[in-house]
Amino acid sequence: MDKQSEQRREYLYSNLSNQLNRLKTNFEQLDKNMAVLREQAELSQRLAISHASMFIGSKGVFEDNK
């Protein structure tokens, strides 16, 4: 293999290595984002249940005022 081919191969391997490192970083960040998304969904569900409970509890208050 001549020197130019060897340099080209090293360049391609270097680019591949960089792309794989970026891909790994992207997957790590995606995992973090998914964890936050799951937490937000759980908190939203709790808030909705709390609001529903307050609404159901207030129904008797409005009926007593009639």
PDB file of all heavy atoms in Angstrom, residues 13-51:
ATOM      1  N   TYR A  13     -10.551   6.046   8.989  1.00  0.00           N
ATOM      2  CA  TYR A  13     -10.703   5.431  10.313  1.00  0.00           C
ATOM      3  C   TYR A  13     -10.879   6.494  11.402  1.00  0.00           C
ATOM      4  O   TYR A  13     -11.652   6.325  12.336  1.00  0.00           O
ATOM      5  CB  TYR A  13      -9.523   4.515  10.648  1.00  0.00           C
ATOM      6  CG  TYR A  13      -9.663   3.129  10.074  1.00  0.00           C
ATOM      7  CD1 TYR A  13      -8.761   2.653   9.138  1.00  0.00           C
ATOM      8  CD2 TYR A  13     -10.702   2.299  10.479  1.00  0.00           C
ATOM      9  CE1 TYR A  13      -8.896   1.379   8.606  1.00  0.00           C
ATOM     10  CE2 TYR A  13     -10.844   1.032   9.958  1.00  0.00           C
ATOM     11  CZ  TYR A  13      -9.943   0.578   9.015  1.00  0.00           C
ATOM     12  OH  TYR A  13     -10.082  -0.684   8.487  1.00  0.00           O
ATOM     13  N   SER A  14     -10.151   7.587  11.262  1.00  0.00           N
ATOM     14  CA  SER A  14     -10.274   8.686  12.219  1.00  0.00           C
ATOM     15  C   SER A  14     -11.689   9.271  12.170  1.00  0.00           C
ATOM     16  O   SER A  14     -12.311   9.511  13.210  1.00  0.00           O
ATOM     17  CB  SER A  14      -9.244   9.764  11.909  1.00  0.00           C
ATOM     18  OG  SER A  14      -9.423  10.870  12.748  1.00  0.00           O
ATOM     19  N   ASN A  15     -12.205   9.488  10.967  1.00  0.00           N
ATOM     20  CA  ASN A  15     -13.574  10.001  10.823  1.00  0.00           C
ATOM     21  C   ASN A  15     -14.592   9.019  11.390  1.00  0.00           C
ATOM     22  O   ASN A  15     -15.549   9.420  12.059  1.00  0.00           O
ATOM     23  CB  ASN A  15     -13.893  10.291   9.356  1.00  0.00           C
ATOM     24  CG  ASN A  15     -13.330  11.611   8.900  1.00  0.00           C
ATOM     25  OD1 ASN A  15     -12.911  12.415   9.717  1.00  0.00           O
ATOM     26  ND2 ASN A  15     -13.322  11.831   7.596  1.00  0.00           N
ATOM     27  N   LEU A  16     -14.397   7.752  11.123  1.00  0.00           N
ATOM     28  CA  LEU A  16     -15.306   6.727  11.640  1.00  0.00           C
ATOM     29  C   LEU A  16     -15.291   6.719  13.165  1.00  0.00           C
ATOM     30  O   LEU A  16     -16.338   6.662  13.810  1.00  0.00           O
ATOM     31  CB  LEU A  16     -14.923   5.352  11.091  1.00  0.00           C
ATOM     32  CG  LEU A  16     -15.773   4.179  11.565  1.00  0.00           C
ATOM     33  CD1 LEU A  16     -17.236   4.380  11.181  1.00  0.00           C
ATOM     34  CD2 LEU A  16     -15.231   2.879  10.990  1.00  0.00           C
ATOM     35  N   SER A  17     -14.108   6.814  13.731  1.00  0.00           N
ATOM     36  CA  SER A  17     -13.977   6.842  15.182  1.00  0.00           C
ATOM     37  C   SER A  17     -14.702   8.058  15.764  1.00  0.00           C
ATOM     38  O   SER A  17     -15.429   7.944  16.759  1.00  0.00           O
ATOM     39  CB  SER A  17     -12.501   6.870  15.570  1.00  0.00           C
ATOM     40  OG  SER A  17     -12.366   6.980  16.965  1.00  0.00           O
ATOM     41  N   ASN A  18     -14.545   9.212  15.140  1.00  0.00           N
ATOM     42  CA  ASN A  18     -15.231  10.427  15.608  1.00  0.00           C
ATOM     43  C   ASN A  18     -16.745  10.277  15.514  1.00  0.00           C
ATOM     44  O   ASN A  18     -17.473  10.670  16.427  1.00  0.00           O
ATOM     45  CB  ASN A  18     -14.783  11.642  14.802  1.00  0.00           C
ATOM     46  CG  ASN A  18     -13.351  12.043  15.096  1.00  0.00           C
ATOM     47  OD1 ASN A  18     -12.809  11.714  16.148  1.00  0.00           O
ATOM     48  ND2 ASN A  18     -12.731  12.748  14.167  1.00  0.00           N
ATOM     49  N   GLN A  19     -17.214   9.702  14.433  1.00  0.00           N
ATOM     50  CA  GLN A  19     -18.652   9.514  14.257  1.00  0.00           C
ATOM     51  C   GLN A  19     -19.205   8.536  15.293  1.00  0.00           C
ATOM     52  O   GLN A  19     -20.290   8.753  15.846  1.00  0.00           O
ATOM     53  CB  GLN A  19     -18.955   9.019  12.846  1.00  0.00           C
ATOM     54  CG  GLN A  19     -18.749  10.082  11.793  1.00  0.00           C
ATOM     55  CD  GLN A  19     -18.913   9.535  10.376  1.00  0.00           C
ATOM     56  OE1 GLN A  19     -19.078   8.343  10.177  1.00  0.00           O
ATOM     57  NE2 GLN A  19     -18.853  10.428   9.405  1.00  0.00           N
ATOM     58  N   LEU A  20     -18.469   7.485  15.579  1.00  0.00           N
ATOM     59  CA  LEU A  20     -18.916   6.526  16.590  1.00  0.00           C
ATOM     60  C   LEU A  20     -18.941   7.152  17.978  1.00  0.00           C
ATOM     61  O   LEU A  20     -19.858   6.882  18.767  1.00  0.00           O
ATOM     62  CB  LEU A  20     -18.018   5.282  16.572  1.00  0.00           C
ATOM     63  CG  LEU A  20     -18.170   4.386  15.345  1.00  0.00           C
ATOM     64  CD1 LEU A  20     -17.119   3.281  15.374  1.00  0.00           C
ATOM     65  CD2 LEU A  20     -19.570   3.803  15.268  1.00  0.00           C
ATOM     66  N   ASN A  21     -17.960   7.991  18.267  1.00  0.00           N
ATOM     67  CA  ASN A  21     -17.955   8.694  19.554  1.00  0.00           C
ATOM     68  C   ASN A  21     -19.138   9.642  19.673  1.00  0.00           C
ATOM     69  O   ASN A  21     -19.777   9.725  20.729  1.00  0.00           O
ATOM     70  CB  ASN A  21     -16.646   9.455  19.758  1.00  0.00           C
ATOM     71  CG  ASN A  21     -15.495   8.542  20.100  1.00  0.00           C
ATOM     72  OD1 ASN A  21     -15.681   7.474  20.678  1.00  0.00           O
ATOM     73  ND2 ASN A  21     -14.291   8.952  19.722  1.00  0.00           N
ATOM     74  N   ARG A  22     -19.454  10.357  18.581  1.00  0.00           N
ATOM     75  CA  ARG A  22     -20.618  11.249  18.597  1.00  0.00           C
ATOM     76  C   ARG A  22     -21.906  10.450  18.750  1.00  0.00           C
ATOM     77  O   ARG A  22     -22.820  10.861  19.471  1.00  0.00           O
ATOM     78  CB  ARG A  22     -20.671  12.096  17.321  1.00  0.00           C
ATOM     79  CG  ARG A  22     -19.703  13.262  17.336  1.00  0.00           C
ATOM     80  CD  ARG A  22     -20.014  14.277  16.257  1.00  0.00           C
ATOM     81  NE  ARG A  22     -19.970  13.743  14.925  1.00  0.00           N
ATOM     82  CZ  ARG A  22     -18.910  13.734  14.132  1.00  0.00           C
ATOM     83  NH1 ARG A  22     -17.772  14.250  14.569  1.00  0.00           N
ATOM     84  NH2 ARG A  22     -18.968  13.234  12.924  1.00  0.00           N
ATOM     85  N   LEU A  23     -21.980   9.314  18.093  1.00  0.00           N
ATOM     86  CA  LEU A  23     -23.154   8.453  18.207  1.00  0.00           C
ATOM     87  C   LEU A  23     -23.334   7.966  19.644  1.00  0.00           C
ATOM     88  O   LEU A  23     -24.446   7.986  20.192  1.00  0.00           O
ATOM     89  CB  LEU A  23     -23.034   7.264  17.248  1.00  0.00           C
ATOM     90  CG  LEU A  23     -24.219   6.308  17.183  1.00  0.00           C
ATOM     91  CD1 LEU A  23     -25.478   7.036  16.714  1.00  0.00           C
ATOM     92  CD2 LEU A  23     -23.897   5.144  16.266  1.00  0.00           C
ATOM     93  N   LYS A  24     -22.248   7.568  20.266  1.00  0.00           N
ATOM     94  CA  LYS A  24     -22.298   7.126  21.661  1.00  0.00           C
ATOM     95  C   LYS A  24     -22.786   8.260  22.558  1.00  0.00           C
ATOM     96  O   LYS A  24     -23.644   8.060  23.426  1.00  0.00           O
ATOM     97  CB  LYS A  24     -20.909   6.653  22.107  1.00  0.00           C
ATOM     98  CG  LYS A  24     -20.857   6.208  23.543  1.00  0.00           C
ATOM     99  CD  LYS A  24     -19.442   5.823  23.956  1.00  0.00           C
ATOM    100  CE  LYS A  24     -19.406   5.520  25.433  1.00  0.00           C
ATOM    101  NZ  LYS A  24     -18.059   5.407  25.942  1.00  0.00           N
ATOM    102  N   THR A  25     -22.251   9.449  22.363  1.00  0.00           N
ATOM    103  CA  THR A  25     -22.671  10.615  23.138  1.00  0.00           C
ATOM    104  C   THR A  25     -24.148  10.909  22.917  1.00  0.00           C
ATOM    105  O   THR A  25     -24.880  11.213  23.867  1.00  0.00           O
ATOM    106  CB  THR A  25     -21.826  11.843  22.747  1.00  0.00           C
ATOM    107  OG1 THR A  25     -20.454  11.558  22.996  1.00  0.00           O
ATOM    108  CG2 THR A  25     -22.229  13.077  23.528  1.00  0.00           C
ATOM    109  N   ASN A  26     -24.600  10.807  21.681  1.00  0.00           N
ATOM    110  CA  ASN A  26     -26.009  11.053  21.374  1.00  0.00           C
ATOM    111  C   ASN A  26     -26.912  10.045  22.074  1.00  0.00           C
ATOM    112  O   ASN A  26     -27.974  10.411  22.594  1.00  0.00           O
ATOM    113  CB  ASN A  26     -26.248  11.019  19.869  1.00  0.00           C
ATOM    114  CG  ASN A  26     -25.662  12.224  19.165  1.00  0.00           C
ATOM    115  OD1 ASN A  26     -25.336  13.224  19.787  1.00  0.00           O
ATOM    116  ND2 ASN A  26     -25.524  12.126  17.849  1.00  0.00           N
ATOM    117  N   PHE A  27     -26.517   8.789  22.093  1.00  0.00           N
ATOM    118  CA  PHE A  27     -27.319   7.770  22.779  1.00  0.00           C
ATOM    119  C   PHE A  27     -27.337   8.010  24.290  1.00  0.00           C
ATOM    120  O   PHE A  27     -28.360   7.813  24.944  1.00  0.00           O
ATOM    121  CB  PHE A  27     -26.821   6.358  22.467  1.00  0.00           C
ATOM    122  CG  PHE A  27     -27.404   5.796  21.206  1.00  0.00           C
ATOM    123  CD1 PHE A  27     -26.591   5.515  20.110  1.00  0.00           C
ATOM    124  CD2 PHE A  27     -28.752   5.544  21.094  1.00  0.00           C
ATOM    125  CE1 PHE A  27     -27.124   5.001  18.943  1.00  0.00           C
ATOM    126  CE2 PHE A  27     -29.306   5.029  19.932  1.00  0.00           C
ATOM    127  CZ  PHE A  27     -28.480   4.755  18.855  1.00  0.00           C
ATOM    128  N   GLU A  28     -26.210   8.423  24.843  1.00  0.00           N
ATOM    129  CA  GLU A  28     -26.164   8.731  26.270  1.00  0.00           C
ATOM    130  C   GLU A  28     -27.098   9.889  26.595  1.00  0.00           C
ATOM    131  O   GLU A  28     -27.831   9.859  27.587  1.00  0.00           O
ATOM    132  CB  GLU A  28     -24.732   9.049  26.706  1.00  0.00           C
ATOM    133  CG  GLU A  28     -23.817   7.840  26.715  1.00  0.00           C
ATOM    134  CD  GLU A  28     -22.348   8.197  26.890  1.00  0.00           C
ATOM    135  OE1 GLU A  28     -21.993   9.404  26.861  1.00  0.00           O
ATOM    136  OE2 GLU A  28     -21.547   7.252  27.054  1.00  0.00           O
ATOM    137  N   GLN A  29     -27.089  10.919  25.753  1.00  0.00           N
ATOM    138  CA  GLN A  29     -27.968  12.065  25.972  1.00  0.00           C
ATOM    139  C   GLN A  29     -29.429  11.664  25.778  1.00  0.00           C
ATOM    140  O   GLN A  29     -30.307  12.122  26.510  1.00  0.00           O
ATOM    141  CB  GLN A  29     -27.609  13.216  25.019  1.00  0.00           C
ATOM    142  CG  GLN A  29     -28.332  14.503  25.335  1.00  0.00           C
ATOM    143  CD  GLN A  29     -28.037  15.020  26.732  1.00  0.00           C
ATOM    144  OE1 GLN A  29     -26.884  15.101  27.151  1.00  0.00           O
ATOM    145  NE2 GLN A  29     -29.071  15.364  27.467  1.00  0.00           N
ATOM    146  N   LEU A  30     -29.687  10.794  24.829  1.00  0.00           N
ATOM    147  CA  LEU A  30     -31.046  10.303  24.610  1.00  0.00           C
ATOM    148  C   LEU A  30     -31.554   9.552  25.831  1.00  0.00           C
ATOM    149  O   LEU A  30     -32.712   9.727  26.240  1.00  0.00           O
ATOM    150  CB  LEU A  30     -31.088   9.398  23.375  1.00  0.00           C
ATOM    151  CG  LEU A  30     -32.442   8.824  22.989  1.00  0.00           C
ATOM    152  CD1 LEU A  30     -33.442   9.938  22.685  1.00  0.00           C
ATOM    153  CD2 LEU A  30     -32.299   7.890  21.802  1.00  0.00           C
ATOM    154  N   ASP A  31     -30.705   8.745  26.445  1.00  0.00           N
ATOM    155  CA  ASP A  31     -31.083   8.036  27.676  1.00  0.00           C
ATOM    156  C   ASP A  31     -31.447   9.029  28.781  1.00  0.00           C
ATOM    157  O   ASP A  31     -32.437   8.841  29.490  1.00  0.00           O
ATOM    158  CB  ASP A  31     -29.959   7.121  28.151  1.00  0.00           C
ATOM    159  CG  ASP A  31     -29.831   5.857  27.313  1.00  0.00           C
ATOM    160  OD1 ASP A  31     -30.791   5.501  26.609  1.00  0.00           O
ATOM    161  OD2 ASP A  31     -28.752   5.225  27.384  1.00  0.00           O
ATOM    162  N   LYS A  32     -30.653  10.086  28.924  1.00  0.00           N
ATOM    163  CA  LYS A  32     -30.942  11.102  29.939  1.00  0.00           C
ATOM    164  C   LYS A  32     -32.272  11.794  29.626  1.00  0.00           C
ATOM    165  O   LYS A  32     -33.082  12.026  30.533  1.00  0.00           O
ATOM    166  CB  LYS A  32     -29.820  12.132  30.000  1.00  0.00           C
ATOM    167  CG  LYS A  32     -28.523  11.597  30.551  1.00  0.00           C
ATOM    168  CD  LYS A  32     -27.427  12.652  30.490  1.00  0.00           C
ATOM    169  CE  LYS A  32     -26.085  12.074  30.898  1.00  0.00           C
ATOM    170  NZ  LYS A  32     -25.003  13.059  30.749  1.00  0.00           N
ATOM    171  N   ASN A  33     -32.489  12.133  28.369  1.00  0.00           N
ATOM    172  CA  ASN A  33     -33.733  12.793  27.974  1.00  0.00           C
ATOM    173  C   ASN A  33     -34.941  11.902  28.233  1.00  0.00           C
ATOM    174  O   ASN A  33     -35.993  12.381  28.661  1.00  0.00           O
ATOM    175  CB  ASN A  33     -33.687  13.198  26.501  1.00  0.00           C
ATOM    176  CG  ASN A  33     -32.704  14.318  26.229  1.00  0.00           C
ATOM    177  OD1 ASN A  33     -32.229  14.979  27.147  1.00  0.00           O
ATOM    178  ND2 ASN A  33     -32.382  14.526  24.968  1.00  0.00           N
ATOM    179  N   MET A  34     -34.797  10.616  27.971  1.00  0.00           N
ATOM    180  CA  MET A  34     -35.907   9.690  28.207  1.00  0.00           C
ATOM    181  C   MET A  34     -36.216   9.586  29.699  1.00  0.00           C
ATOM    182  O   MET A  34     -37.386   9.502  30.082  1.00  0.00           O
ATOM    183  CB  MET A  34     -35.575   8.304  27.632  1.00  0.00           C
ATOM    184  CG  MET A  34     -35.543   8.252  26.116  1.00  0.00           C
ATOM    185  SD  MET A  34     -37.126   8.655  25.355  1.00  0.00           S
ATOM    186  CE  MET A  34     -38.097   7.279  25.908  1.00  0.00           C
ATOM    187  N   ALA A  35     -35.201   9.605  30.535  1.00  0.00           N
ATOM    188  CA  ALA A  35     -35.417   9.557  31.983  1.00  0.00           C
ATOM    189  C   ALA A  35     -36.184  10.797  32.443  1.00  0.00           C
ATOM    190  O   ALA A  35     -37.125  10.700  33.238  1.00  0.00           O
ATOM    191  CB  ALA A  35     -34.086   9.444  32.716  1.00  0.00           C
ATOM    192  N   VAL A  36     -35.804  11.955  31.922  1.00  0.00           N
ATOM    193  CA  VAL A  36     -36.501  13.194  32.274  1.00  0.00           C
ATOM    194  C   VAL A  36     -37.936  13.152  31.757  1.00  0.00           C
ATOM    195  O   VAL A  36     -38.873  13.555  32.458  1.00  0.00           O
ATOM    196  CB  VAL A  36     -35.746  14.420  31.714  1.00  0.00           C
ATOM    197  CG1 VAL A  36     -36.578  15.688  31.841  1.00  0.00           C
ATOM    198  CG2 VAL A  36     -34.413  14.594  32.423  1.00  0.00           C
ATOM    199  N   LEU A  37     -38.122  12.652  30.556  1.00  0.00           N
ATOM    200  CA  LEU A  37     -39.460  12.551  29.977  1.00  0.00           C
ATOM    201  C   LEU A  37     -40.359  11.639  30.814  1.00  0.00           C
ATOM    202  O   LEU A  37     -41.517  11.982  31.079  1.00  0.00           O
ATOM    203  CB  LEU A  37     -39.373  12.022  28.545  1.00  0.00           C
ATOM    204  CG  LEU A  37     -40.674  11.891  27.779  1.00  0.00           C
ATOM    205  CD1 LEU A  37     -41.342  13.249  27.612  1.00  0.00           C
ATOM    206  CD2 LEU A  37     -40.420  11.257  26.429  1.00  0.00           C
ATOM    207  N   ARG A  38     -39.829  10.511  31.262  1.00  0.00           N
ATOM    208  CA  ARG A  38     -40.608   9.609  32.119  1.00  0.00           C
ATOM    209  C   ARG A  38     -40.984  10.291  33.428  1.00  0.00           C
ATOM    210  O   ARG A  38     -42.122  10.185  33.901  1.00  0.00           O
ATOM    211  CB  ARG A  38     -39.822   8.324  32.395  1.00  0.00           C
ATOM    212  CG  ARG A  38     -39.848   7.325  31.253  1.00  0.00           C
ATOM    213  CD  ARG A  38     -39.257   5.981  31.665  1.00  0.00           C
ATOM    214  NE  ARG A  38     -37.826   6.040  31.873  1.00  0.00           N
ATOM    215  CZ  ARG A  38     -36.910   5.885  30.917  1.00  0.00           C
ATOM    216  NH1 ARG A  38     -37.305   5.662  29.679  1.00  0.00           N
ATOM    217  NH2 ARG A  38     -35.632   5.939  31.185  1.00  0.00           N
ATOM    218  N   GLU A  39     -40.038  11.025  34.001  1.00  0.00           N
ATOM    219  CA  GLU A  39     -40.317  11.736  35.252  1.00  0.00           C
ATOM    220  C   GLU A  39     -41.388  12.809  35.040  1.00  0.00           C
ATOM    221  O   GLU A  39     -42.310  12.942  35.852  1.00  0.00           O
ATOM    222  CB  GLU A  39     -39.034  12.373  35.781  1.00  0.00           C
ATOM    223  CG  GLU A  39     -39.217  13.096  37.096  1.00  0.00           C
ATOM    224  CD  GLU A  39     -37.927  13.733  37.608  1.00  0.00           C
ATOM    225  OE1 GLU A  39     -36.859  13.508  37.017  1.00  0.00           O
ATOM    226  OE2 GLU A  39     -38.021  14.468  38.603  1.00  0.00           O
ATOM    227  N   GLN A  40     -41.297  13.549  33.946  1.00  0.00           N
ATOM    228  CA  GLN A  40     -42.293  14.580  33.657  1.00  0.00           C
ATOM    229  C   GLN A  40     -43.668  13.968  33.428  1.00  0.00           C
ATOM    230  O   GLN A  40     -44.680  14.526  33.869  1.00  0.00           O
ATOM    231  CB  GLN A  40     -41.868  15.405  32.441  1.00  0.00           C
ATOM    232  CG  GLN A  40     -40.706  16.322  32.725  1.00  0.00           C
ATOM    233  CD  GLN A  40     -40.237  17.076  31.496  1.00  0.00           C
ATOM    234  OE1 GLN A  40     -40.547  16.700  30.364  1.00  0.00           O
ATOM    235  NE2 GLN A  40     -39.472  18.133  31.699  1.00  0.00           N
ATOM    236  N   ALA A  41     -43.719  12.837  32.756  1.00  0.00           N
ATOM    237  CA  ALA A  41     -45.002  12.174  32.519  1.00  0.00           C
ATOM    238  C   ALA A  41     -45.620  11.720  33.839  1.00  0.00           C
ATOM    239  O   ALA A  41     -46.833  11.873  34.057  1.00  0.00           O
ATOM    240  CB  ALA A  41     -44.813  10.978  31.583  1.00  0.00           C
ATOM    241  N   GLU A  42     -44.801  11.190  34.732  1.00  0.00           N
ATOM    242  CA  GLU A  42     -45.301  10.755  36.038  1.00  0.00           C
ATOM    243  C   GLU A  42     -45.821  11.943  36.848  1.00  0.00           C
ATOM    244  O   GLU A  42     -46.898  11.876  37.452  1.00  0.00           O
ATOM    245  CB  GLU A  42     -44.196  10.036  36.815  1.00  0.00           C
ATOM    246  CG  GLU A  42     -44.653   9.534  38.171  1.00  0.00           C
ATOM    247  CD  GLU A  42     -43.532   8.865  38.965  1.00  0.00           C
ATOM    248  OE1 GLU A  42     -42.506   8.488  38.369  1.00  0.00           O
ATOM    249  OE2 GLU A  42     -43.701   8.747  40.183  1.00  0.00           O
ATOM    250  N   LEU A  43     -45.085  13.044  36.838  1.00  0.00           N
ATOM    251  CA  LEU A  43     -45.512  14.229  37.574  1.00  0.00           C
ATOM    252  C   LEU A  43     -46.789  14.819  36.976  1.00  0.00           C
ATOM    253  O   LEU A  43     -47.674  15.268  37.710  1.00  0.00           O
ATOM    254  CB  LEU A  43     -44.391  15.272  37.592  1.00  0.00           C
ATOM    255  CG  LEU A  43     -43.156  14.889  38.401  1.00  0.00           C
ATOM    256  CD1 LEU A  43     -42.052  15.929  38.221  1.00  0.00           C
ATOM    257  CD2 LEU A  43     -43.489  14.717  39.870  1.00  0.00           C
ATOM    258  N   SER A  44     -46.902  14.802  35.654  1.00  0.00           N
ATOM    259  CA  SER A  44     -48.124  15.288  34.999  1.00  0.00           C
ATOM    260  C   SER A  44     -49.321  14.428  35.377  1.00  0.00           C
ATOM    261  O   SER A  44     -50.421  14.939  35.609  1.00  0.00           O
ATOM    262  CB  SER A  44     -47.954  15.297  33.475  1.00  0.00           C
ATOM    263  OG  SER A  44     -46.989  16.245  33.095  1.00  0.00           O
ATOM    264  N   GLN A  45     -49.105  13.129  35.448  1.00  0.00           N
ATOM    265  CA  GLN A  45     -50.187  12.217  35.832  1.00  0.00           C
ATOM    266  C   GLN A  45     -50.615  12.485  37.274  1.00  0.00           C
ATOM    267  O   GLN A  45     -51.814  12.537  37.573  1.00  0.00           O
ATOM    268  CB  GLN A  45     -49.728  10.772  35.670  1.00  0.00           C
ATOM    269  CG  GLN A  45     -50.813   9.755  35.966  1.00  0.00           C
ATOM    270  CD  GLN A  45     -50.310   8.330  35.797  1.00  0.00           C
ATOM    271  OE1 GLN A  45     -49.128   8.056  35.920  1.00  0.00           O
ATOM    272  NE2 GLN A  45     -51.224   7.416  35.525  1.00  0.00           N
ATOM    273  N   ARG A  46     -49.650  12.681  38.162  1.00  0.00           N
ATOM    274  CA  ARG A  46     -49.979  12.981  39.560  1.00  0.00           C
ATOM    275  C   ARG A  46     -50.756  14.297  39.670  1.00  0.00           C
ATOM    276  O   ARG A  46     -51.701  14.411  40.448  1.00  0.00           O
ATOM    277  CB  ARG A  46     -48.712  13.069  40.402  1.00  0.00           C
ATOM    278  CG  ARG A  46     -48.052  11.743  40.658  1.00  0.00           C
ATOM    279  CD  ARG A  46     -46.839  11.936  41.531  1.00  0.00           C
ATOM    280  NE  ARG A  46     -46.119  10.694  41.734  1.00  0.00           N
ATOM    281  CZ  ARG A  46     -45.045  10.588  42.483  1.00  0.00           C
ATOM    282  NH1 ARG A  46     -44.550  11.654  43.095  1.00  0.00           N
ATOM    283  NH2 ARG A  46     -44.443   9.434  42.622  1.00  0.00           N
ATOM    284  N   LEU A  47     -50.332  15.297  38.891  1.00  0.00           N
ATOM    285  CA  LEU A  47     -51.012  16.583  38.921  1.00  0.00           C
ATOM    286  C   LEU A  47     -52.443  16.458  38.407  1.00  0.00           C
ATOM    287  O   LEU A  47     -53.366  17.036  38.980  1.00  0.00           O
ATOM    288  CB  LEU A  47     -50.234  17.605  38.093  1.00  0.00           C
ATOM    289  CG  LEU A  47     -50.770  19.034  38.076  1.00  0.00           C
ATOM    290  CD1 LEU A  47     -50.777  19.614  39.491  1.00  0.00           C
ATOM    291  CD2 LEU A  47     -49.933  19.902  37.144  1.00  0.00           C
ATOM    292  N   ALA A  48     -52.635  15.688  37.348  1.00  0.00           N
ATOM    293  CA  ALA A  48     -53.977  15.479  36.803  1.00  0.00           C
ATOM    294  C   ALA A  48     -54.869  14.781  37.827  1.00  0.00           C
ATOM    295  O   ALA A  48     -56.043  15.142  37.986  1.00  0.00           O
ATOM    296  CB  ALA A  48     -53.903  14.667  35.514  1.00  0.00           C
ATOM    297  N   ILE A  49     -54.336  13.798  38.525  1.00  0.00           N
ATOM    298  CA  ILE A  49     -55.112  13.091  39.558  1.00  0.00           C
ATOM    299  C   ILE A  49     -55.451  14.051  40.692  1.00  0.00           C
ATOM    300  O   ILE A  49     -56.578  14.060  41.196  1.00  0.00           O
ATOM    301  CB  ILE A  49     -54.327  11.862  40.076  1.00  0.00           C
ATOM    302  CG1 ILE A  49     -54.257  10.796  38.966  1.00  0.00           C
ATOM    303  CG2 ILE A  49     -54.958  11.300  41.337  1.00  0.00           C
ATOM    304  CD1 ILE A  49     -53.291   9.668  39.269  1.00  0.00           C
ATOM    305  N   SER A  50     -54.502  14.888  41.076  1.00  0.00           N
ATOM    306  CA  SER A  50     -54.748  15.867  42.124  1.00  0.00           C
ATOM    307  C   SER A  50     -55.842  16.840  41.714  1.00  0.00           C
ATOM    308  O   SER A  50     -56.752  17.153  42.493  1.00  0.00           O
ATOM    309  CB  SER A  50     -53.454  16.621  42.433  1.00  0.00           C
ATOM    310  OG  SER A  50     -53.679  17.640  43.371  1.00  0.00           O
ATOM    311  N   HIS A  51     -55.778  17.328  40.480  1.00  0.00           N
ATOM    312  CA  HIS A  51     -56.809  18.246  39.985  1.00  0.00           C
ATOM    313  C   HIS A  51     -58.170  17.562  39.935  1.00  0.00           C
ATOM    314  O   HIS A  51     -59.191  18.177  40.299  1.00  0.00           O
ATOM    315  CB  HIS A  51     -56.430  18.781  38.609  1.00  0.00           C
ATOM    316  CG  HIS A  51     -55.356  19.812  38.659  1.00  0.00           C
ATOM    317  ND1 HIS A  51     -54.700  20.238  37.533  1.00  0.00           N
ATOM    318  CD2 HIS A  51     -54.801  20.502  39.683  1.00  0.00           C
ATOM    319  CE1 HIS A  51     -53.796  21.145  37.859  1.00  0.00           C
ATOM    320  NE2 HIS A  51     -53.844  21.315  39.164  1.00  0.00           N
TER     321      HIS A  51
END
